Amino acid sequence: MADISKIRLENETYNIKDETARNDINILKLPRNSFANRKIILIGDSYAEGYTPDGNVTSWQTFFKNLTGLSNTITKYQGGVGFVNISSNKNFQTLLEEVTSDTEVTDIIVLGGYNDTSYNSTQIKNAMKSFQLKANEKFPNANLYVGMVGW
């Protein structure tokens, strides 16, 4: 297992083994009103349901909503999905398509695990591009963020 002791955020380097430094980058220190004018769509897989291989936990979507204090958040999730991988006839794009078009959406955050690992990079890139085009069409004012959980 890698031993990571420092993280760089913007122009600052933090020693994350140091409790004071960890507290300095804690999202709880962000003013709640910094999210007041945001309308956010959160899309995920089983980690958004709270499932992990080690047992059920509070989902990242719940943590996000609680930490930011946002009530204007739309959550969509389906266990087993990815950009390419389909579960129960859904993937990240079909979850996005279930949300009504809205020019007031400011951010779309997609976090998933490793459900696309059996697909090649071209398949994943093409599916991500298709997702981006659909997001731009339905939510033209939204910033799109993609991340990974539990990889």
Side-chain angles (χ1 to χ4, degrees):
M1 177 182 281
D3 183 13
I4 299 170
S5 62
K6 293 190 171 100
I7 187 170
R8 185 165 178 85
L9 298 173
E10 295 181 1
N11 294 326
E12 297 289 327
T13 300
Y14 298 91
N15 178 352
I16 58 176
K17 287 188 175 181
D18 175 61
E19 184 176 350
T20 302
R22 286 193 312 271
N23 289 338
D24 286 345
I25 61 175
N26 190 333
I27 192 170
L28 293 173
K29 293 199 170 206
L30 290 173
R32 295 254 175 170
N33 64 1
S34 65
F35 294 96
N37 297 321
R38 314 301 293 175
K39 186 170 187 181
I40 300 175
I41 300 171
L42 304 175
I43 295 180
D45 58 7
S46 58
Y47 290 110
E49 292 177 314
Y51 170 82
T52 74
D54 299 322
N56 291 340
V57 298
T58 303
S59 76
W60 68 262
Q61 290 184 349
T62 300
F63 272 119
F64 182 91
K65 289 174 70 173
N66 291 343
L67 292 172
T68 61
L70 279 173
S71 59
N72 203 11
T73 303
I74 300 161
T75 59
K76 299 298 289 183
Y77 55 84
Q78 175 69 45
V81 301
F83 283 102
V84 182
N85 200 57
I86 294 174
S87 176
S88 299
N89 296 317
K90 296 183 182 188
N91 62 13
F92 288 149
Q93 184 167 327
T94 58
L95 291 173
L96 181 72
E97 290 169 351
E98 291 176 357
V99 181
T100 303
S101 297
D102 186 346
T103 58
E104 294 181 9
V105 170
T106 58
D107 306 276
I108 301 168
I109 300 171
V110 183
L111 292 177
Y114 47 92
N115 295 320
D116 284 337
T117 56
S118 63
Y119 298 94
N120 66 49
S121 61
T122 300
Q123 291 171 301
I124 296 169
K125 286 177 190 176
N126 289 341
M128 290 177 80
K129 184 64 177 174
S130 178
F131 181 95
Q132 178 190 18
L133 292 171
K134 182 55 71 176
N136 291 344
E137 173 190 318
K138 293 188 73 163
F139 311 100
N141 299 315
N143 295 304
L144 177 59
Y145 304 92
V146 176
M148 301 183 66
V149 179
W151 188 274

